[in-house]
Amino acid sequence: MKLYIKYMVSLRCKLMVKQELEKLGLHYTNIELGMIEIKEDITNELKQKLKSNLAESGLELLDDQKSILVDRIKNVIIEMIHYSEELPKVNYSDFISEKLGYDYTYLSNLFSEVKGITIQYFIINHKIERAKELLLYDELNLTEIAFKLHYSSVAHLSNQFKKVTGQCPSFYKKIGEKRRSNLENL
């Protein structure tokens, strides 16, 4: 039995869900961001208990099919950008469509209807968030970040970065340098 969980977007969330399943004596075969597979069918009473326990941790057990699919789209994008070593070589639309087994136009329209933003806008925001992380922690230079996040050029990344954050990438690089300097002085 598959259950879908909203706001389950990190490894810490996965650990929290595992603990809740173990507390309730439920056996799982798979836990991914936003989704768990449970070996047995569960009663409505047990499902409500799981829903309540997850809510205490800020997670939400989804029942509505549209919400479930939109959450799955979000999780595919988050995992692709934040947790994969390398972004897919194919178009994001092809990747998302293939990963979820739905036509991209359908997914795109549904996402826009439910979230009020396009999938492309969601992807851009997450790519910029990832770029900010990489700049703050000085893991890569701007050219390497542009390459890693599949931007056509540093200028393209810089322009999108400024549109989304209101700041230049160098601003975030300086913040990271200042943080590291302060930590070294402790």
Side-chain angles (χ1 to χ4, degrees):
M1 166 181 236
K2 286 186 182 182
L3 298 174
Y4 295 92
I5 302 171
K6 189 172 186 172
Y7 308 120
M8 185 178 166
V9 295
S10 69
L11 300 177
R12 189 176 309 154
C13 292
K14 284 171 78 171
L15 290 173
M16 220 174 348
V17 170
K18 281 182 185 180
Q19 290 173 343
E20 289 303 327
L21 293 172
E22 288 167 4
K23 278 184 201 173
L24 295 173
L26 295 171
H27 305 94
Y28 57 89
T29 56
N30 190 19
I31 295 184
E32 296 177 17
L33 294 180
M35 192 272 298
I36 54 177
E37 282 185 69
I38 298 176
K39 287 183 181 179
E40 59 270 326
D41 286 331
I42 60 174
T43 64
N44 279 340
E45 184 180 318
L46 199 51
K47 192 173 185 180
Q48 289 307 313
K49 180 70 176 154
L50 177 62
K51 188 173 189 167
S52 172
N53 289 359
L54 291 173
E56 288 176 18
S57 302
L59 302 173
E60 183 182 331
L61 193 59
L62 295 173
D63 294 322
D64 171 39
Q65 291 303 316
K66 282 185 176 182
S67 296
I68 289 170
L69 190 51
V70 167
D71 215 56
R72 288 179 64 202
I73 295 166
K74 287 169 46 180
N75 287 327
V76 165
I77 293 166
I78 290 168
E79 192 168 318
M80 172 181 71
I81 293 171
H82 293 279
Y83 298 108
S84 296
E85 279 302 308
E86 195 172 305
L87 294 179
K89 301 281 187 229
V90 296
N91 291 337
Y92 296 135
S93 56
D94 293 339
F95 179 79
I96 294 165
S97 180
E98 186 179 306
K99 193 90 167 152
L100 297 175
Y102 288 91
D103 175 67
Y104 183 76
T105 303
Y106 171 73
L107 294 173
S108 179
N109 290 336
L110 176 67
F111 192 89
S112 295
E113 174 191 321
V114 172
K115 299 301 293 173
I117 60 171
T118 65
I119 288 177
Q120 188 62 32
Y121 185 77
F122 188 79
I123 290 171
I124 289 168
N125 280 335
H126 277 275
K127 285 174 68 173
I128 297 304
E129 283 303 311
R130 183 70 177 127
K132 284 170 32 179
E133 287 172 21
L134 294 169
L135 287 167
L136 286 172
Y137 296 110
D138 199 33
E139 293 182 27
L140 303 171
N141 65 39
L142 203 53
T143 303
E144 293 167 326
I145 293 170
F147 180 78
K148 181 178 181 74
L149 296 177
H150 290 226
Y151 280 95
S152 57
S153 66
V154 172
H156 183 212
L157 168 59
S158 296
N159 288 335
Q160 261 191 359
F161 197 98
K162 181 135 179 141
K163 274 185 195 172
V164 172
T165 67
Q167 300 290 335
C168 295
S170 58
F171 176 80
Y172 282 86
K173 192 146 185 83
K174 287 176 187 167
I175 290 172
E177 289 168 359
K178 192 171 185 176
R179 280 185 183 172
R180 284 185 298 284
S181 173
N182 288 341
L183 287 174
E184 289 171 4
N185 292 333
L186 290 178

